[in-house]
Structure formats: structure tokens, C-alpha cells
Amino acid sequence: MAAPGMSARVVVVGAGPAGTRAAELLAAAGLRPVVVDEGRASGGQIYRRQPAGFRRDPRALYGTEAGRATALHAAFDALGPRIDHRPDSLAWNIHGGALHVLSGGRAQRLPYDALILATGATDRMVPLPGWTLPGAFSLGAAQIALKAQACAIGGRVVFLGTGPLLYLVAAQYVKAGAGVAAVLDTAPPAARWKGLPLMAARPALLAKGALLVAQLKRAGVPMRRGVVPRRLLADATGTRVAGLAIATPGGGEEVIDCDAVGMGWHLRAESQLADLAGCTFDFDADSRQWLPRADADGRTGVAGVYLAGDGARILGADGAEIAGRLAVLAVLQDLGLPAPAGQDAAALRRRRAVMDRFRRGLALAFPWPAELVSNLPDETLVCRCEAITAGALRQSATALDAPEVNRAKAFSRTGMGRCQGRFCGMAGAEIIAAARGVPVEAAGRLRGQAPVKPLPVAAVVDER
Ligand SMILES: Cc1cc2nc3c(=O)[nH]c(=O)nc-3n(C[C@H](O)[C@H](O)[C@H](O)COP(=O)(O)OP(=O)(O)OC[C@H]3O[C@@H](n4cnc5c(N)ncnc54)[C@H](O)[C@@H]3O)c2cc1C
């Protein structure tokens, strides 16, 4: 690539931990990056800021991570005019060497010499019968309600799923004084031991996890592992969650009373923009998800496109900060620009490698329940945007002979709605693969399509 020097146009998507550290290092290198985020303020998911007018203490909001949260916010705020920050701005397409953004209702085209995608992750969901009832939330949404608005999703909440966020959000609810009816983990108890050797790479984080479980025990919250959920039950009006049915070892069913369910199975990388940029994807067998290909510094095979943070690999917030810095060092090198003094890419890569070991350990300890998903009853609504059931998906895979998810989408409309398959795509692939008797990777992945999120048609027309 020709070196455009200090006038290089660098665009960062995402102002979470990865995007913040990327912006900071770019500014230190003398560049003025454009930082686009659909959020109102920087901070990303974990360090989400409270709305204007809310004055909760950072320790109440972020717990043990309060110091890191305030440091990250301060670092971003200190950048001031050295970056071009565009909040409330959705990056919805990448085309013709430019990022396409909707900002303040207006379409913008941002041509770039280097584009760093630091788009984070979202909840990974299992569609259970009844998961569309009011009162059923994703774990992330349950946490956002608490962090952003100081609200609980219910008075007797069941937390269901697997992964560290399951225990973290439950503990945050307990600390906030909300009622937690149970924490139900679908991971088999033995899975933990499988993940332990890799998770031992980060003993301090392991200890934090053990502390969360101890806090929940002390609070008297019932916790179970190896749970097989069957369905969410509605109240007499049919309009609100009133319980969760789970399988009992004898083949029966037990109902746990509750008025809300927070559910999530770890996270999935938010990778549609990487897809639209033309990145190659590989199937990651540990997490059973397709991830965009990038080297340890975030370079993709596409010139000028870099990945950082959870959008590439779910390494957590501190891993995202490292990845943001590494991506900038790669950008500077590729643009032929000097890196600011004191940057040690080799040390950053070593720390990142430790975090990646931990990530693989987590995937083993808290596995995605593939069998549960592939055996979901036919009547389960899988694609909630288009109201497509597991049975209809199976039909498209067998009777209509769709060999993979994109063909099944064409036949059934699964993944064609507002969420573009972000919440149903992984479950859909499991169902199709099982129906055809092939491994899930053979069912492929839904190709990213613009717009990655809904936007007014007028905005696209304006742009032209
Ligand atoms: C809901 C949720 C809650 C979490 N809570 C915790 C927690 O409590 N503790 C913990 O340790 N980890 C938590 N995690 C994981 C943690 O947030 C991540 O590991 C960490 O934030 C990764 O940083 P990041 O910069 O890669 O991404 P993020 O922090 O997710 O930041 C990505 C940013 O990109 C923006 N973005 C994405 N797509 C677009 C687009 N198309 N256009 C414009 N902007 C876009 C988003 O608005 C976001 O601000 C949570 C994850 C999720 C999804």
C-alpha cells in the first residue's frame, strides 16, 4: 500500500476497550482517526457508561473492574479533539474502499487507508420454546438494564445458560438487591475439569470466578450444573414468563417458578462488517463458531482491514485493549509510519497468547449445548424476526434439500429479518446440520449482508 503519511485516513469502528486503546495509540502516533460507535458514549459493553444524570459510584457499577473502567473512560475523554469521535453512528456497510455510516439520520461515506474493526460481541442464544415471551431476556440485556438504568428484569429471576457472564450477571443482581431464583448452567459438571488446564493460564481470573460462585452460595442462590432446559412457561394471561421447565434425571420435568429469565450461552463475535470487508472466515471447533481470520496483530487477508477485540476473538476486555494496540502497530507498520516510543509488540503478543489459551479453556468448560439445540422440538421459534420454527428449518434442509444455511435462508427466510441471523444463525446451523446428518461446519455460516442493522431507506437513497 502506498504510504499516505500523517494524513492517512484511519477509521476505527467501536469505542469499547479495543477501539479506545486503538484511538489512543493512533493519536499518540500523530494521526487523527475517525472513531465511529453506535453507542452514545465510549466504553463498549463491559464499561458501558450510565446515562446523563445518573450518578452511581463506579464501584457500584463496575465492581472489581471500577479502576479499569474509569481509566479507560479517562483515556478516551483525554483524547478530545485529537480524534474525530462520532457517537450514535451506525456503520452499516463496507463498499468501494469506504465505510458507510448512518449518523444523526444522515448517511455518510468514510473512505479509509486503514480500517480497524473493533465491533465486540453479543450474546449467543439458544432458542427455547417460550423464549419470545415478555420477561425473557438475554444475559447481556439483563446486565444492560442494571448497568444503564439501575433496573432489574424481574423480582424472581432465573439465570440460564453457560459461561462466566451467567455467574457474573447473577452476582450483580444479588448485589443490587434483586431476587435471583436460580442459576442454571447447561454445561455438564465434568466440562469444568476439561477446561481447567487451559484456564490455569490466568489464575487471577479463575480466582475471580470462584469468588463469584462463593458469593452466590453465600446469598443462598440455588445453583445447578448439567441442566437440560425444556421451555419457558407463561402465566395465566399468556403474556409473561411464569416459570422454566427443566428435565429431571428420571425423564420427568420440574418447573422453577420465576417472573423473568435471563439467558445466554457465552458470546458470539460481532463479525458482519469483517464479512462485508471480504475477510476469510474459519470454523473454530472450540467455540463452534465461524471467526474472521486475522493474525496475532489483527491483520486480515484484506489490505487495509484490521480486527481487534471480541469481534475477532472473545478474549475479554483486557485482551481487547491489547488487541487494539497491536492492530495500530500493524497499521502504522503497513503505512510506513513510526510507532510511538515504548511500544513492545512482542510482549503484547505474548500476553495475548495467554489470553487465547484461557479463551479455549472457557470454551471447553462452558460448551455450547449443540445437542440440546439440534434436538429442539419442531414448534420452537428459531428465527423470531421472521417467525420460522425449527420444524420449518428441518423441512428446508431435508424435503427442500438445502445443503447449507444460506440456501435454507432462501427457502425459509431464517436469518432474513431485523437481526440478520445474529441471534438465530448459530442455532439454525446446528438444526440444519443435524437434520442432514453432517457436522455443523458443513452447514456453513450465514453470509453478512448490508445493512448489518436496520436503517431508514431514505438514508441510503440520500447517500446516492
Ligand atoms: C452485553 C455484554 C455484557 C458484557 N459484560 C461483561 C462484564 O460485565 N464483564 C466482563 O468481563 N465482560 C463482559 N462482556 C464481555 C466484554 O464486554 C468484552 O470482552 C469487551 O468489552 C470487549 O471489548 P471490545 O472493545 O472488543 O468490544 P465492546 O466493548 O463490545 O465494544 C464494541 C463497540 O463497537 C460498537 N459497534 C459494534 N458494531 C458497530 C457498528 N456496526 N457500528 C457502530 N458501532 C458498532 C458497539 O456499540 C460497542 O461500543 C460483556 C459482553 C456483552 C456482549
Side-chain angles (χ1 to χ4, degrees):
M1 179 189 301
M6 301 318 271
S7 61
R9 300 161 305 177
V10 183
V11 178
V12 180
V13 183
T20 296
R21 292 307 177 198
E24 187 184 36
L25 196 52
L26 286 162
L31 295 168
R32 186 166 184 268
V34 179
V35 181
V36 173
D37 198 299
E38 61 182 324
R40 174 193 44 85
S42 75
Q45 295 291 3
I46 173 171
Y47 304 135
R48 174 181 297 276
R49 301 200 200 200
Q50 50 192 329
F54 280 57
R55 307 234 181 296
R56 282 168 293 164
D57 188 287
R59 277 166 306 182
L61 261 180
Y62 306 113
T64 55
E65 307 309 302
R68 283 177 174 277
T70 44
L72 196 89
H73 294 163
F76 193 90
D77 294 344
L79 292 172
R82 292 192 294 145
I83 64 170
D84 176 356
H85 178 208
R86 306 197 187 178
D88 287 320
S89 300
L90 171 72
W92 63 272
N93 195 10
I94 296 173
H95 181 66
L99 182 76
H100 296 249
V101 176
L102 182 72
S103 190
R106 294 189 61 97
Q108 298 170 349
R109 209 180 147 267
L110 299 176
Y112 56 81
D113 298 302
L115 173 67
I116 300 178
L117 297 174
T119 45
T122 43
D123 294 282
R124 188 158 55 151
M125 299 300 289
V126 168
L128 291 170
W131 74 307
T132 52
L133 279 168
F137 290 76
S138 74
L139 275 179
Q143 194 194 47
I144 289 168
L146 200 61
K147 270 191 192 168
Q149 300 289 341
C151 290
I153 60 170
R156 277 173 302 125
V157 184
V158 166
F159 287 103
L160 167 72
T162 200
L165 205 55
L166 177 70
Y167 296 89
L168 176 66
V169 179
Q172 288 169 334
Y173 265 60
V174 166
K175 194 171 162 209
V180 177
V183 175
L184 307 178
D185 192 333
T186 56
R192 204 138 306 187
W193 303 114
K194 277 195 210 157
L196 202 56
L198 288 166
M199 290 197 296
R202 299 185 74 184
L205 220 49
L206 261 186
K208 264 190 196 170
L211 193 68
L212 283 181
V213 173
Q215 282 168 357
L216 289 165
K217 268 196 192 138
R218 246 200 329 274
V221 173
M223 277 181 284
R224 301 196 207 171
R225 293 184 190 152
V227 170
V228 179
R230 291 254 171 93
R231 62 186 178 284
L232 283 73
L233 304 168
D235 67 3
T237 67
T239 58
R240 176 93 209 167
V241 167
L244 175 77
I246 62 174
T248 56
E253 214 169 78
E254 176 188 347
V255 173
I256 300 175
D257 290 335
C258 60
D259 60 4
V261 177
M263 49 199 265
W265 282 259
H266 207 44
L267 299 172
R268 55 163 285 284
E270 193 62 83
S271 57
Q272 297 109 304
L273 286 178
D275 203 356
L276 293 173
C279 295
T280 303
F281 279 65
D282 300 307
F283 184 72
D284 179 62
D286 295 329
S287 61
R288 278 176 94 85
Q289 56 183 304
W290 290 87
L291 294 172
R293 190 183 296 172
D295 69 10
D297 295 351
R299 275 188 195 89
T300 66
V302 181
V305 178
Y306 303 79
L307 305 178
D310 274 8
R313 293 286 177 283
I314 316 278
L315 300 184
D318 36 6
E321 291 187 44
I322 289 176
R325 291 188 176 110
L326 279 170
V328 171
L329 294 177
V331 167
L332 295 173
Q333 189 180 45
D334 296 350
L335 291 175
L337 297 172
Q343 298 304 314
D344 184 347
L348 290 174
R349 276 183 213 121
R350 278 196 299 276
R351 286 173 62 199
R352 187 194 172 282
V354 169
M355 291 168 183
D356 198 46
R357 266 208 299 285
F358 189 82
R359 170 189 77 90
R360 287 187 286 124
L362 278 184
L364 293 176
F366 301 102
W368 163 249
E371 204 181 310
L372 169 72
V373 178
S374 37
N375 290 319
L376 283 169
D378 274 350
E379 65 275 15
T380 314
L381 212 55
V382 175
C383 170
R384 55 194 298 162
C385 305
E386 296 290 317
I388 312 299
T389 61
L393 251 184
R394 288 188 181 111
Q395 276 283 104
S396 57
T398 52
L400 300 177
D401 200 25
E404 51 83 50
V405 291
N406 295 289
R407 187 65 67 85
K409 174 179 170 180
F411 287 152
S412 68
R413 297 189 60 81
T414 302
M416 220 180 260
R418 286 176 68 87
C419 93
Q420 289 286 294
R422 295 210 309 286
F423 296 104
C424 63
M426 294 184 65
E430 296 285 358
I431 291 167
I432 290 166
R436 294 186 67 88
V438 298
V440 69
E441 55 271 38
R445 65 182 182 88
L446 285 172
R447 283 187 294 271
Q449 305 283 352
V452 298
K453 290 189 184 167
L455 78 170
V457 173
V460 190
V461 174
D462 277 359
E463 195 185 53
R464 289 178 180 172

